[in-house]
Coordinates of all heavy atoms in Angstrom, one line a residue:
Q30 N 14.0 -7.4 -9.8 CA 12.8 -6.6 -9.4 C 12.9 -6.1 -8.0 O 12.5 -5.0 -7.7 CB 11.5 -7.4 -9.7 CG 10.3 -6.5 -9.6 CD 9.1 -7.3 -10.1 OE1 9.2 -8.3 -10.7 NE2 8.0 -6.7 -9.9
I45 N 11.2 12.7 -4.9 CA 10.2 13.5 -5.5 C 9.3 14.1 -4.4 O 8.9 15.3 -4.5 CB 9.4 12.7 -6.5 CG1 10.3 12.4 -7.7 CG2 8.1 13.4 -7.0 CD1 9.7 11.3 -8.6
V56 N 3.4 21.2 -8.3 CA 2.5 20.1 -8.3 C 2.5 19.4 -9.7 O 2.4 18.1 -9.7 CB 1.1 20.6 -7.9 CG1 0.0 19.5 -8.0 CG2 1.1 21.1 -6.4
H96 N -2.3 9.9 -2.5 CA -1.0 9.5 -3.1 C -0.9 8.0 -3.2 O -0.8 7.3 -2.1 CB 0.1 10.1 -2.2 CG 0.1 11.6 -2.2 ND1 0.9 12.3 -3.1 CD2 -0.5 12.5 -1.5 CE1 0.7 13.6 -3.0 NE2 -0.1 13.8 -1.9
R205 N 3.1 -18.4 5.5 CA 3.4 -19.6 6.4 C 2.3 -19.9 7.4 O 2.1 -21.0 7.8 CB 4.8 -19.4 7.1 CG 5.9 -19.5 6.1 CD 7.2 -19.5 6.9 NE 7.4 -18.4 7.8 CZ 8.0 -17.3 7.4 NH1 8.5 -17.0 6.2 NH2 8.1 -16.3 8.3

Side-chain angles (χ1 to χ4, degrees):
Q30 192 168 347
I45 290 168
V56 173
H96 295 269
R205 288 189 303 270

